[in-house]
């Protein structure tokens, strides 16, 4: 039950209620509290509000925008004066234009009656604005002024604040431009102007792309165009909608009609009807303006084209009549229909005498005339040009002519004529022939100069040309280098680290005229780098401006690599010498300390015995260093000899591990050898043991205390593999490739506390190669341990194994005493060697100079003479020659003992009469065979 209605029915007469219910006007009865006490059905239909929204609610709450409207003012006037009001105004949330009456029914109710009048008003507004706009357009008014009439109509018919704008699509620049906006603030106009059609964050572009109405009911709410919304809010706008303007012909979008409100709201229906009606007029006006502009452009272009064609015709006629080239036109039968003055002059004929005739009729040689007739036919058939050169004798004598026949194609695609041009190229042909010869000479010179090339840079035109050598160097094709490229292209190939310096040098040469002489790196397509040296000088024109920059270049990669290799070798040499000095000095301190202990009475026998052992170890280490150096030298010179016999790989490994076992014990390492079956190789036992002892020695030195070293022996059908793995320091990946290089050390020079010259692995590789084997290394990196694998050819087990017997001289005394003369300015070495030989039963005489040796043989006849080469005064070579002049020494054996072991020294020793050449420090084992030789000689 509706209580307000019931109250009204009780207070009003039945007749009054009947009238209210049946009239066509909408009726609202308002009580003294401004509440809607009663409404009829028409009120719901016209306002679009439901009964629940109207009945019993305050009119201020029920009717949106009632407060502050014309309706409120007239309502309050009637309420205060009691006088009725009749007026026209927009009403309700959709701003319908209505005719309204407000009057007092009785002391309880005030009546508001109204009916819609917006349709008529809108039609009149639209019609008036359309007539005004069309009239202005016909009168030639500017387009913006005409469109402004339409936007004013939208703003004028609204019963609320509305502002309109029209934007046009500029397809040439792909922009949306604002054409008119009479009431909008300038900041908002800027937002509608010059909007790119590709701009995603703008409602106008979406309207253009979707061809649909775009609306934003509240710019302060969340929108898809936050920047646009913020600009609208700052301009005092709170709602916006726009709709596309469609062409009346193609239905394409030619513009956009936009409407702004100062209050949040959806598009007002009356505004939409007005904009829809005005949009058709706007489209007509825009299209008419475009057609007028297009027609004007066409007329202007036609006029310009006509003048251009007339000018071109005059130019062509003048050019064809005055060009030295021969210009002509054939018909499809090969008759000349046009010949310019140059051709007529070459023929020696008049126009009337030549036009309309074929080559045959113009006295061309038959072969020549037939060739052209055949070519004309091919051009007609193929619709493609033909070009050639031919000799012809005319009024200028016999000349060489270059010609081209080109088809003239009609609109329907047929050949309607053949146009031709001919040029006298006699001088060019002669020049080309000379150029070919010059090019041949140039190429010959370039080939003789190996990698030299020439280049030229036209500075003013920025064209860089070069021959094929430099083209290849700068990653440019021969064709590009021949015809020229921009200087930036070769500069792009210069190494980034060198480019700033070279750019500065080029600029300096251009600005100062100084010679250009630079060497730099050029990056190749495959990423490699080449070095090149360039020289050139800038040439200036008459005004003093830099014109050309020619020069020569040469690829110096090989030379640079050689220099770098020398620098690297020099660096390694210096590093090696420093290391050698370090390694040779290291044993001196313990040796000196041991000597002090041996000379003192303050140490017991155990300490002195230990000192003897220490001196022996240190001397052995020094000898091993020198021996390694000598072995490398012998291998390099091909002087090393291998005493190859069948060997069991187990015995080789036993010999190698026996050598390094003291170091392994000292470091508390665990050494394991896995070798199942007996495997045999052909090799020198000493050298093979040297290979493995070197590797095991390195493993022991570069593995932390208590590490493990594992030796695993395996085989395949042809080879024996010995893998030696440790869990020590490992080798960085970038160092694996050069560990076998001479003097190579993984650690820095100051970090080599473990010792070594960096030649051990070089010796390993070369000795392995002498045994037809190979050696490789693998490591996961620093701290991951290292594995060296030696591969040797596998041989069958020998049937009979012979064991060589060593000389017993070192263990027994000679059967007869040998007289030995030692001459050496290093008395410590000479005297100690004498003591060793005396311990073997020899009679020894020691002197310190060549003169003393000559005096000694007067009373002491030696069987063996040991001479130092580098003595002061008389050297060992001269002393040997002098001693051999003594008949008493004709059976003596002469041995050179020296620190010099190069081939030239050995050759000179032989030339001086020495029987043997031993390199210091002399090992008694090396001297033993010589002593046996002397002993056997004495017994004969």
């Amino acid at each position: 039950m509706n209580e307000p209605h019931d109250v009204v029915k009780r207070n009003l007469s039945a007749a009054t209620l009947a009238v209210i219910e049946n009239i066509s006007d909408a009726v609202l009865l308002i009580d003294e509290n401004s509440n809607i006490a009663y409404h009829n059905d028409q009120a719901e239909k016209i306002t679009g509000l439901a009964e629940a929204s109207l009945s019993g609610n305050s009119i201020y709450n029920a009717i949106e925008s009632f407060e502050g409207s014309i309706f409120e003012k007239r309502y309050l006037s009637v309420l205060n004066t009691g006088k009725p009001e009749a007026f026209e105004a927009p009403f309700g949330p959709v701003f319908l234009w209505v005719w309204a009456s407000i009057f007092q029914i009785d002391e309880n109710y005030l009546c508001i009656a109204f009916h819609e009048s917006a349709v008529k008003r809108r039609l009149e507004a639209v019609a008036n604005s359309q007539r005004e706009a069309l009239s202005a357009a016909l009168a030639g008014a500017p387009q913006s002024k005409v469109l402004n009439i339409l936007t004013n109509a939208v703003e004028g018919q609204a019963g609320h604040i509305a502002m309109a704008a029209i934007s046009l699509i500029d397809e040439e620049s792909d922009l949306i431009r604002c054409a008119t906006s009479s009431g909008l603030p300038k900041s908002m106009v800027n937002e509608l102007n010059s909007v790119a059609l590709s701009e995603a964050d703008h409602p106008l572009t979406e309207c253009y792309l979707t061809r649909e109405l775009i609306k934003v009911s509240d710019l302060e709410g969340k929108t898809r165009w936050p920047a646009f919304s913020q600009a609208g809010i700052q301009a005092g706008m709170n709602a916006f909608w726009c709709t596309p303007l469609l062409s009346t012909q193609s239905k394409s979008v030619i513009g956009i009609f936009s409407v702004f409100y100062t209050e949040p709201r959806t598009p007002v229906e009356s505004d939409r009807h007005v904009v829809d009606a005005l949009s058709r007029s706007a489209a007509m006006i825009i299209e008419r303006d475009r057609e007028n502009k297009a027609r004007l452009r066409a007329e202007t272009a036609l006029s310009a084209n006509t003048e251009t064609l007339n000018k071109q015709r005059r130019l062509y006629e003048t050019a064809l009549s005055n060009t030295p080239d021969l210009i002509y036109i054939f018909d499809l039968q090969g008759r000349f229909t046009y010949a310019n003055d140059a051709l007529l002059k070459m023929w020696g004929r008049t126009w009337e005498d030549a036009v309309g005739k074929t080559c045959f009729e113009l006295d061309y040689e038959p072969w020549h005339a037939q060739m052209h007739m055949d070519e004309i036919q091919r051009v007609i058939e193929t619709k493609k040009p033909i070009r050639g050169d031919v000799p012809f004798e005319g009024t200028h004598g016999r000349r060489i002519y270059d010609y081209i026949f080109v088809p003239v194609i009609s609109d329907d695609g047929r050949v309607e004529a053949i146009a031709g041009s001919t040029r006298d190229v006699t001088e060019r042909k002669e020049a080309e022939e000379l150029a070919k010869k010059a090019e041949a000479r140039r190429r010959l010179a370039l080939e003789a100069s190996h990698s030299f090339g020439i280049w030229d840079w036209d500075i003013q035109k920025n064209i860089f040309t070069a021959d094929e050598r430099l083209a290849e160097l700068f990653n440019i094709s021969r064709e590009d280098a021949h015809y020229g490229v921009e200087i930036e292209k070769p500069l792009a190939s210069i190494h980034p680290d060198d480019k700033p310096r070279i750019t500065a040098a080029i600029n300096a040469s251009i600005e100062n005229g100084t010679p250009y002489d630079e060497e730099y790196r050029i990056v190749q397509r495959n990423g490699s780098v080449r070095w090149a040296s360039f020289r050139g000088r800038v040439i200036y024109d008459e005004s003093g401006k830099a014109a050309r920059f020619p020069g020569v270049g040469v690829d110096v990669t090989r030379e640079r690599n050689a220099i770098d290799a020398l620098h690297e070798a020099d660096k390694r040499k210096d590093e090696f010498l420093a290391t050698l000095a370090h390694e040779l000095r290291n044993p001196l301190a313990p040796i000196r300390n041991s000597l002090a202990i041996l000379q003192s009475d303050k140490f017991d026998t155990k300490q002195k015995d230990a000192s003897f052992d220490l001196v022996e170890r240190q001397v052995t280490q020094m000898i091993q260093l020198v021996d390694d150096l000598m072995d490398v030298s012998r291998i390099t010179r091909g002087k090393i000899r291998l005493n190859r016999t069948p060997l069991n790989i187990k015995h080789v490994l036993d010999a190698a591990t026996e050598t390094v076992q003291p170091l392994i014990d000292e470091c508390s390492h665990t050494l394991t050898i896995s070798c199942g079956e007996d495997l045999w190789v052909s090799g020198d036992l000493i050298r093979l043991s040297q290979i493995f002892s070197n590797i095991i020695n390195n493993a022991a030195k570069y593995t932390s205390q208590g590490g493990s070293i594992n030796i695993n022996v395996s085989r395949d059908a042809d080879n024996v593999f010995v893998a030696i793995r440790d869990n020590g320091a490992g080798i960085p990946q970038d160092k694996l490739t050069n560990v076998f290089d001479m003097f190579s050390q993984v650690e820095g020079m100051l970090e080599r506390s473990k010792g070594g010259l960096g030649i051990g692995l070089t010796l390993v590789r070369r000795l392995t190669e002498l045994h037809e084997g190979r050696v490789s290394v693998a490591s996961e990196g620093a701290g991951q341990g290292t594995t060296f694998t030696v591969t040797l050819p596998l041989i069958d087990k020998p049937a009979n194994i012979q064991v060589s017997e060593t000389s017993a001289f070192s263990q027994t005394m000679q059967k007869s005493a040998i007289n030995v003369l030692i001459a050496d300015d290093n008395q410590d070495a000479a005297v100690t060697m004498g003591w060793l030989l005396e311990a073997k039963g020899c009679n020894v005489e020691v002197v310190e100079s060549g003169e003393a040796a000559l005096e000694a043989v007067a009373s002491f006849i030696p069987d063996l003479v040991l001479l130092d080469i580098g003595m002061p005064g008389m050297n060992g070579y001269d002393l040997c020659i002098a001693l051999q002049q003594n008949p008493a020494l004709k059976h003596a054996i002469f041995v050179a003992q020296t620190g010099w072991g190069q081939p030239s020294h050995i050759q000179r020793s032989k030339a001086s009469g020495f029987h043997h050449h031993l390199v210091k420090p002399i090992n008694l084992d090396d001297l033993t065979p010589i002593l046996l030789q002397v002993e056997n000689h004495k017994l004969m």
Side-chain angles (χ1 to χ4, degrees):
M1 183 175 178
N2 194 321
E3 292 183 2
H5 278 214
D6 293 341
V7 173
V8 172
K9 288 178 181 180
R10 287 196 298 271
N11 293 334
L12 296 178
S13 66
T16 300
L17 288 175
V19 171
I20 292 173
E21 288 294 340
N22 291 286
I23 65 173
S24 60
D25 281 8
V27 176
L28 299 176
L29 298 183
I30 311 301
D31 63 17
E32 66 274 11
N33 296 319
S34 297
N35 293 326
I36 301 173
Y38 183 85
H39 69 275
N40 64 359
D41 293 340
Q42 284 298 108
E44 293 183 20
K45 291 178 181 179
I46 293 176
T47 63
L49 299 174
E51 179 181 353
S53 299
L54 294 172
S55 183
N57 290 323
S58 169
I59 191 169
Y60 286 94
N61 295 331
I63 306 301
E64 186 179 347
S65 302
F66 183 79
E67 186 175 359
S69 67
I70 295 174
F71 262 87
E72 184 195 27
K73 293 178 181 178
R74 299 300 177 91
Y75 164 75
L76 293 176
S77 176
V78 173
L79 194 63
N80 293 329
T81 65
K83 294 180 180 181
E85 294 275 356
F87 56 93
E88 185 182 28
F91 179 74
V94 294
F95 292 91
L96 291 174
W97 276 90
V98 296
W99 283 103
S101 297
I102 303 177
F103 53 90
Q104 194 83 38
I105 292 181
D106 55 25
E107 68 277 5
N108 297 316
Y109 302 105
L110 187 147
C111 177
I112 300 176
F114 54 90
H115 64 269
E116 186 178 359
S117 66
V119 173
K120 179 180 178 181
R121 182 178 180 84
R122 285 200 303 273
L123 291 176
E124 289 177 353
V126 169
N128 290 335
S129 62
Q130 286 175 327
R131 283 193 296 270
E132 183 181 358
L134 292 174
S135 176
L138 292 173
Q143 185 186 62
S144 59
K145 185 175 180 180
V146 176
L147 295 178
N148 197 48
I149 295 172
L150 303 180
T151 57
N152 285 340
V154 175
E155 296 172 2
Q157 65 82 37
H160 47 277
I161 298 177
M163 301 178 188
I166 295 177
S167 302
L168 303 183
I169 308 302
D170 185 348
E171 294 182 345
E172 291 184 0
S173 58
D174 289 335
L175 293 174
I176 302 174
R177 301 186 185 277
C178 184
T180 181
S181 54
S182 56
L184 280 177
K186 186 175 180 180
S187 62
M188 204 64 239
V189 174
N190 292 336
E191 283 294 320
L192 301 177
N193 198 28
S194 298
V195 178
L197 294 178
S198 59
E199 186 176 340
D201 190 21
H202 204 284
L204 295 191
T205 56
E206 181 154 341
C207 180
Y208 168 77
L209 295 172
T210 63
R211 302 163 64 96
E212 295 178 354
L213 182 141
I214 301 297
K215 60 182 179 180
V216 182
S217 300
D218 187 355
L219 292 176
E220 292 187 350
K222 184 177 181 181
T223 71
R224 286 178 291 167
W225 311 285
F228 177 83
S229 298
Q230 185 61 34
I233 292 169
Q234 292 175 354
M237 304 295 109
N238 281 285
F240 162 81
W241 62 276
C242 62
T243 186
L245 296 177
L246 301 180
S247 167
T248 59
Q249 299 173 0
S250 63
K251 300 304 179 185
S252 61
V253 179
I254 59 175
I256 297 172
F257 213 129
S258 303
V259 178
F260 290 85
Y261 299 133
T262 58
E263 298 179 356
R265 63 166 52 90
T266 57
V268 176
E269 190 67 25
S270 60
D271 292 347
R272 289 191 58 182
H273 290 312
V274 171
V275 169
D276 287 345
L278 294 177
S279 292
R280 290 187 288 274
S281 298
M284 292 173 59
I285 293 168
I286 294 168
E287 287 181 321
R288 183 179 182 279
D289 183 74
R290 286 187 174 183
E291 290 171 358
N292 289 338
K293 289 180 179 178
R295 182 169 61 253
L296 181 60
R297 285 196 299 269
E299 291 172 353
T300 303
L302 179 59
S303 176
N305 287 340
T306 302
E307 178 57 30
T308 300
L309 288 173
N310 290 331
K311 183 178 180 180
Q312 287 178 344
R313 179 177 57 80
R314 293 191 298 271
L315 290 173
Y316 290 155
E317 289 177 354
T318 303
L320 293 176
S321 298
N322 292 280
T323 179
D325 289 346
L326 315 178
I327 309 298
Y328 44 90
I329 297 175
F330 295 108
D331 65 14
L332 300 184
Q333 286 72 43
R335 293 187 292 266
F336 285 94
T337 60
Y338 173 83
N340 71 343
D341 291 345
L343 179 56
L344 294 173
K345 185 177 180 180
M346 191 272 289
W347 281 336
R349 294 175 181 271
T350 64
W351 174 274
E352 293 76 12
D353 188 33
V355 172
K357 294 181 180 180
T358 65
C359 292
F360 286 106
E361 296 168 325
L362 293 172
D363 298 329
Y364 278 60
E365 294 182 53
W367 67 267
H368 190 171
Q370 187 61 51
M371 179 183 74
H372 283 338
M373 294 298 285
D374 293 341
E375 289 172 335
I376 291 169
Q377 190 59 38
R378 284 205 301 275
V379 171
I380 295 171
E381 293 172 354
T382 63
K383 300 181 181 180
K384 295 181 179 179
I386 283 181
R387 186 170 187 172
D389 56 70
V390 65
F392 185 81
E393 188 166 355
T395 57
H396 307 306
R398 191 169 185 82
R399 311 285 291 175
I400 304 296
Y401 293 93
D402 176 57
Y403 65 91
I404 183 170
F405 296 165
V406 180
V408 179
I409 309 297
S410 65
D411 291 339
D412 58 3
R414 294 181 299 105
V415 176
E416 57 185 13
I418 295 91
S421 67
T422 298
R423 176 170 295 180
D424 187 338
V425 294
T426 307
E427 285 76 14
R428 193 190 76 188
K429 287 289 185 181
E430 292 173 351
E432 288 177 353
E433 188 62 30
L434 292 174
K436 287 181 181 178
K437 292 179 180 178
E439 177 65 14
R441 290 194 297 271
R442 187 182 69 84
R443 286 179 177 273
L444 182 61
L446 286 175
E447 290 174 0
S449 65
H450 300 292
S451 53
F452 272 94
I454 57 176
W455 51 273
D456 193 359
W457 176 28
D458 186 328
I459 299 174
Q460 297 179 356
K461 295 181 180 178
N462 192 22
I463 297 176
F464 174 88
T465 56
D467 62 12
E468 60 270 22
R469 294 179 185 273
L470 295 188
E472 180 181 359
L473 192 63
F474 281 110
N475 306 306
I476 304 172
S477 69
R478 290 188 179 185
E479 183 177 359
D480 285 348
H482 176 74
Y483 290 105
V485 297
E486 294 179 346
I487 190 65
E488 287 74 16
K489 189 163 186 178
L491 289 179
S493 296
I494 298 177
H495 195 283
D497 294 343
D498 296 340
K499 192 171 182 178
R501 172 174 59 86
I502 300 308
T503 303
I506 292 172
N507 292 335
S509 293
I510 294 174
E511 293 172 5
N512 307 322
T514 54
Y516 177 76
D517 187 357
E518 295 293 334
E519 188 171 298
Y520 52 86
R521 292 164 290 179
I522 302 174
V523 181
Q524 304 300 292
R525 286 193 180 95
N526 60 5
S528 63
V529 174
R530 301 194 69 80
W531 279 91
S533 177
F534 294 89
R535 292 185 178 183
R537 183 181 290 274
V538 178
I539 298 174
Y540 299 86
D541 61 18
E542 295 177 355
S543 65
K545 293 178 63 177
R548 291 178 50 240
F549 197 163
V552 297
V554 59
D555 186 335
V556 295
T557 305
R558 183 167 53 187
E559 290 78 2
R560 285 294 303 220
N561 289 343
I563 292 172
D564 291 344
L566 287 174
H567 287 166
E568 180 63 23
D570 190 56
K571 175 184 174 184
R572 288 191 178 183
K573 180 201 70 177
D574 293 343
E575 189 175 339
F576 162 72
L577 290 176
T579 305
L580 177 60
H582 172 77
E583 294 299 328
L584 291 177
R585 280 196 303 268
N586 271 351
L588 297 180
I591 289 175
R592 175 175 288 179
N593 294 338
S594 296
L595 289 175
I597 292 171
L598 294 172
Q599 293 170 353
S600 174
D601 296 333
K602 297 180 180 180
F603 298 94
D604 57 25
T605 302
K606 183 177 180 180
Q607 289 173 315
K608 291 187 176 184
D609 289 342
S611 297
F612 278 119
D613 293 341
L614 186 148
V615 170
E616 182 179 5
R617 285 198 306 273
Q618 297 300 326
V619 170
T620 300
Q621 180 179 333
M622 295 177 70
I623 292 173
Q624 183 63 49
L625 289 174
V626 176
D627 285 348
D628 283 350
L629 284 172
M630 296 305 298
D631 283 342
V632 170
S633 175
R634 293 187 189 104
I635 292 173
T636 302
R637 293 181 288 111
K639 297 297 184 180
I640 196 165
R641 296 178 181 177
L642 298 180
N643 181 22
R644 301 182 70 157
T645 60
L647 297 171
N648 189 327
I649 197 67
K650 290 181 179 179
H651 297 162
V652 175
L653 293 174
D654 288 343
T657 54
E658 182 180 358
T659 303
V660 296
Q661 191 64 49
L663 178 60
I664 293 173
D665 295 340
E666 179 185 342
C667 297
S668 302
H669 294 325
T670 301
L671 175 66
T672 58
I673 302 177
S674 301
C675 182
E677 57 183 313
D678 289 338
L679 301 175
W680 293 80
V681 297
S682 174
D684 185 311
L685 177 61
I686 294 175
R687 296 306 181 184
L688 286 180
S689 299
Q690 192 175 0
I691 291 171
F692 295 114
S693 63
N694 261 321
I695 297 175
I696 300 170
N697 185 69
N698 277 353
K701 287 197 298 182
Y702 293 105
T703 299
S704 300
Q705 194 83 7
S708 63
I709 303 171
N710 301 309
I711 304 175
N712 182 66
V713 181
S714 59
R715 60 164 291 179
D716 63 11
D718 302 311
N719 298 294
V720 175
F721 305 99
V722 180
I724 302 171
R725 175 172 178 78
D726 62 65
N727 62 348
I731 301 174
Q733 294 292 313
D734 60 335
K735 301 293 185 181
L736 287 174
T737 56
N738 59 4
V739 294
F740 295 105
D741 293 345
M742 182 74 77
F743 312 135
S744 175
Q745 295 272 12
V746 173
E747 297 176 324
M749 190 164 58
L750 297 177
E751 298 169 347
R752 296 175 186 166
S753 58
K754 301 281 187 176
L757 297 177
I759 62 174
L761 291 179
T762 302
L763 196 59
V764 165
R765 182 181 64 183
R766 296 189 178 182
L767 287 175
T768 304
E769 290 170 351
L770 286 175
H771 285 83
E772 293 86 41
R774 60 184 183 275
V775 61
S776 61
V777 61
S779 177
E780 296 297 323
Q784 302 297 313
T786 307
T787 300
F788 284 89
T789 303
V790 177
T791 303
L792 297 169
L794 177 67
I795 65 171
D796 295 331
K797 179 179 179 180
N800 297 312
I801 304 174
Q802 297 180 353
V803 180
S804 60
E805 295 182 2
T806 60
S807 170
F809 182 91
S810 60
Q811 300 172 1
T812 61
M813 300 291 292
Q814 301 100 310
K815 295 179 181 177
S816 60
I818 297 174
N819 293 336
V820 181
L821 173 64
I822 302 176
D824 193 335
D825 61 323
N826 185 343
Q827 283 295 285
D828 290 343
V831 170
T832 53
M833 176 58 73
W835 289 348
L836 291 173
L837 291 174
E838 286 176 349
K840 298 295 184 182
C842 298
N843 300 319
V844 180
E845 183 74 20
V846 177
V847 297
E848 59 181 348
S849 67
E851 294 78 4
L854 292 173
E855 293 177 4
V857 296
S859 57
F860 181 77
I861 306 301
D863 303 304
L864 176 64
V865 182
L866 303 179
L867 302 180
D868 178 36
I869 296 297
M871 290 185 294
M874 179 179 286
N875 62 41
Y877 300 127
D878 295 338
L879 178 58
C880 180
I881 295 171
L883 289 174
Q884 288 182 339
Q885 302 300 318
N886 188 336
L889 304 180
K890 67 177 182 179
H891 298 299
I893 301 297
F894 287 83
V895 177
Q897 55 171 0
T898 177
W900 307 103
Q902 297 302 315
S904 59
H905 302 131
I906 297 173
Q907 184 64 34
R908 188 174 177 185
S909 294
K910 290 183 179 179
S912 300
F914 282 105
H915 300 94
H916 301 280
H917 186 103
L918 299 180
V919 180
K920 293 180 179 179
I922 297 176
N923 191 321
L924 195 59
D925 291 340
D926 294 332
L927 195 58
T928 298
I930 299 174
L931 292 171
L932 285 174
Q933 179 187 357
V934 174
E935 182 183 33
N936 292 336
H937 185 70
K938 286 191 68 174
L939 295 176
M940 291 176 61

